[in-house]
Amino acid sequence: EVQLVESGGGLVQPGGSLRLPCVASGFTFSTHWMGWVRQAPGKGLEWVANIKYDGSDKYYVESVKGRFTISRDNAKNSLYLHMNGLRVEDTAVYYCARQSTVTRSAFDVWGQGTVVTVS
Amino acid sequence: DIQMTQSPSSLSASVGDRVTITCRASQSVGSYLNWYQQKPGKAPKLLIYAASTLQSGVPSRFSGGGSGTDFTLTISSLEAEDFATYYCQQAYSISFGGGTKVEIK
């Protein structure tokens, strides 16, 4: 079964840090671009960051540049989001998502999400 | 940045109704447009990619159209399981529309 499982969420004070891991299974992780998408309480979806299959290219939404870092370890089938300088407005459910190889732009597999609360 | 505007933001419909949701991009995204369905407390699910291609396993009552800046998602005959929030996503530089909540009339 193709699966993504996030963890690492929790309550953190403004200015604090968190690392969100996402473990993939059921597919060849090293051939897919991967990304993080977040959803603030009662709000819509917001793309946060994504990373090329080999880790050589990384992209971020403007609001997290310089504070968040996306990374991956293909040997461990794992994706990470390192979050520093957290702000109240970063409070959200954070989803790990796989980008399709058919059309790289589409997120075709999603994790269940992990909740980050900054307060 | 490319802004995505969905309309309406919400709608009420009955089982069996035909429903159309519109998504407009602030500049052309070609056919790089995807649609997702999200139910409360759940992760989004990919419905349509490249503007009009149905993702595997998605019922054929869903269809997508458009190119450039104007796109549509149509549900030909609404079923009870379709009541959810729908999002468009431009894949040119990745951003989502604000969502359309489809509620039961």
Side-chain angles (χ1 to χ4, degrees):
Chain A
E1 180 191 4
V2 174
Q3 198 171 11
L4 297 170
V5 179
E6 307 97 332
S7 60
L11 175 64
V12 61
Q13 292 184 339
S17 299
L18 274 179
R19 186 187 78 145
L20 306 182
C22 169
V23 179
S25 59
F27 66 97
T28 305
F29 180 72
S30 60
T31 62
H32 287 265
W33 284 70
M34 296 292 297
W36 290 94
V37 176
R38 67 184 178 183
Q39 187 168 35
K43 302 297 184 182
L45 301 172
E46 180 183 39
W47 166 74
V48 175
N50 64 341
I51 185 169
K52 194 175 179 179
Y53 47 82
D54 61 359
S56 61
D57 288 324
K58 305 174 184 181
Y59 301 92
Y60 301 90
V61 68
E62 193 64 35
S63 61
V64 309
K65 283 181 182 177
R67 301 189 299 124
F68 290 12
T69 301
I70 189 171
S71 65
R72 66 191 297 161
D73 184 338
N74 286 345
K76 294 183 178 179
N77 288 340
S78 294
L79 176 73
Y80 304 97
L81 187 65
H82 306 259
M83 304 186 293
N84 296 320
L86 281 161
R87 304 168 180 168
V88 171
E89 54 266 34
D90 295 319
T91 294
V93 177
Y94 283 75
Y95 294 103
C96 165
R98 184 183 85 170
Q99 292 185 246
S100 167
T101 53
V102 173
T103 169
R104 193 194 77 202
S105 62
F107 295 101
D108 66 347
V109 178
W110 296 68
Q112 83 287 352
T114 188
V115 177
V116 172
T117 303
V118 184
S119 177
Chain B
D1 292 356
I2 300 175
Q3 307 302 318
M4 306 301 293
T5 303
Q6 284 184 236
S7 60
S9 56
S10 66
L11 65 91
S12 296
S14 301
V15 171
D17 284 353
R18 180 182 180 89
V19 168
T20 297
I21 298 167
T22 297
C23 178
R24 175 164 289 176
S26 59
Q27 65 188 74
S28 177
V29 297
S31 293
Y32 290 100
L33 192 286
N34 308 314
W35 289 97
Y36 300 83
Q37 175 193 67
Q38 187 180 33
K39 297 182 179 179
K42 300 294 186 182
K45 171 188 173 183
L46 177 65
L47 295 177
I48 288 170
Y49 61 90
S52 61
T53 303
L54 214 58
Q55 173 71 347
S56 175
V58 174
S60 58
R61 62 181 180 273
F62 291 92
S63 64
S67 65
T69 60
D70 294 307
F71 301 88
T72 57
L73 172 69
T74 298
I75 309 172
S76 60
S77 180
L78 205 59
E79 297 199 4
E81 66 200 46
D82 301 336
F83 291 97
T85 300
Y86 294 85
Y87 294 93
C88 62
Q89 175 231 333
Q90 61 87 6
Y92 205 77
S93 57
I94 306 185
S95 62
F96 291 88
T100 296
K101 186 173 184 179
V102 177
E103 299 176 299
I104 301 173
K105 183 182 287 185

